[in-house]
Amino acid sequence: MASREDDEDDIDPVKMLFPLDEKHGHNTLSVPPLQDTASEQQLQQHYIGSIQSTLVIRQLPSQGLSFKLWPAATTLVTLLDQHRCQPSTSSLITVFTNGPDSRPLNILELGSGTGLVGMAAAAILGAKVTVTDLPHVIPNLQFNVDTNAGLFSLQGGTVHVAPLRWGEVDDVELVGRGFDVILASDIVYHDHLYDPLLETLRLFLNSGVKEKKMTFVMAHLKRWKKDSVFFKRAKKLFNVEIIHVDNPCNGSRIGVVVYRMTGKATKIS
């Protein structure tokens, strides 16, 4: 099971990039999009069963991949939803270990895109969340956060929007390093971004701050054999384990895999 990332069989990228009629669990409800012919925007609702509330996101498919909801995001939302309902049997039990008197979690999301995962974390966990992406993605991300601000407030959570370019030390310093958990979904697809992403993760997970042990949770749907290169490099820097695997759906032979990564202990000479 732990060797899934080493499977070198090619996967059809056309079929796997955005599978049709994607369904990850019963807690996500997609309604027919409301079309705006001028901007080609799509509004989509996602029902969160544990809090009996609905998140709304705006997608702008014509603007690029960062403006569309990716399949693995709904897997993370479902796991967060299930964790709130049944934490003792949750796949995320090793990630969210807060005690009864603990402060709200401080969560960072990388490559947020539409922001669904980060917003769900704020609403479901009552967490303080920072959602990030490239500067040109920020306006739509901010729109989605503003649209759902009332729900976060009701559940005791907050969401802040910030630009973060992978591999840029200055961007990491601006968002800060005081996070408990880092979340991401479907961010491994362009091989030229592997090293910048790994550098950003290294800056957070291997920061050398002894009292701050961050955990990175990433949902990933494998599409190409080159994806394995990222995980081989990641294992040299971090402790990597699989904590959840979705069943294949829509004719696919694989499902979304959720990884947990932590920084490796630094040897003291």
Side-chain angles (χ1 to χ4, degrees):
M1 186 171 175
S3 64
R4 279 177 179 266
E5 63 270 22
D6 295 324
D7 181 0
E8 292 298 321
D9 291 337
D10 276 313
I11 296 175
D12 187 342
V14 176
K15 293 180 180 179
M16 294 302 294
L17 193 59
F18 295 110
L20 296 176
D21 191 29
E22 186 69 30
K23 296 178 181 177
H24 291 297
H26 62 279
N27 293 323
T28 298
L29 173 63
S30 299
V31 300
L34 303 177
Q35 295 289 345
D36 182 328
T37 55
S39 63
E40 295 184 13
Q41 71 174 2
Q42 298 177 353
L43 299 182
Q44 197 172 49
Q45 295 181 349
H46 294 265
Y47 181 69
I48 310 297
S50 62
I51 58 174
Q52 298 183 349
S53 300
T54 300
L55 285 168
V56 179
I57 63 165
R58 180 178 70 177
Q59 300 183 83
L60 302 171
S62 65
Q63 299 298 309
L65 297 178
S66 297
F67 298 84
K68 185 174 175 64
L69 182 65
W70 286 56
T74 54
T75 290
L76 269 189
V77 172
T78 298
L79 292 181
L80 288 167
D81 202 8
Q82 292 173 345
H83 179 78
R84 169 142 180 176
C85 293
Q86 296 179 309
S88 62
T89 58
S90 166
S91 298
L92 301 177
I93 189 171
T94 60
V95 177
F96 303 116
T97 56
N98 282 21
D101 58 347
S102 60
R103 58 172 174 75
L105 287 166
N106 197 359
I107 296 175
L108 172 71
E109 185 185 11
L110 297 178
S112 300
T114 63
L116 177 63
V117 172
M119 294 190 299
I124 295 170
L125 303 175
K128 178 182 178 182
V129 179
T130 300
V131 292
T132 65
D133 213 307
L134 293 171
H136 74 281
V137 183
I138 296 302
N140 190 58
L141 191 51
Q142 186 68 61
F143 175 90
N144 286 335
V145 168
D146 291 344
T147 299
N148 296 279
L151 177 56
F152 311 145
S153 178
L154 185 64
Q155 298 296 328
T158 62
V159 181
H160 171 65
V161 180
L164 196 159
R165 298 163 296 171
W166 299 342
E168 297 292 333
V169 178
D170 290 345
D171 286 15
V172 171
E173 295 300 331
L174 284 174
V175 299
R177 300 174 192 252
F179 299 100
D180 303 298
V181 177
I182 302 173
L183 300 175
S185 57
D186 269 331
I187 60 171
V188 177
Y189 51 95
H190 286 321
D191 51 3
H192 70 276
L193 294 177
Y194 292 174
D195 286 339
L197 173 56
L198 288 168
E199 174 61 12
T200 291
L201 290 174
R202 185 191 67 79
L203 291 169
F204 283 115
L205 301 183
N206 295 345
S207 65
V209 181
K210 293 182 181 180
E211 63 272 16
K212 199 65 182 177
K213 187 73 171 179
M214 291 185 220
T215 299
F216 175 51
V217 178
M218 181 181 74
H220 175 69
L221 180 59
K222 182 176 180 180
R223 297 173 175 87
W224 302 286
K225 64 181 180 180
K226 66 181 181 180
D227 293 3
S228 62
V229 174
F230 171 84
F231 291 98
K232 288 175 181 177
R233 294 178 185 174
K235 286 180 177 180
K236 294 179 180 180
L237 297 171
F238 317 117
N239 302 306
V240 181
E241 64 174 320
I242 292 173
I243 60 174
H244 173 82
V245 180
D246 270 350
N247 291 324
C249 60
N250 305 317
S252 303
R253 65 179 181 82
I254 61 169
V256 172
V257 179
V258 181
Y259 297 85
R260 176 180 180 268
M261 301 186 193
T262 55
K264 288 187 175 181
T266 303
K267 294 182 180 179
I268 301 176
S269 55

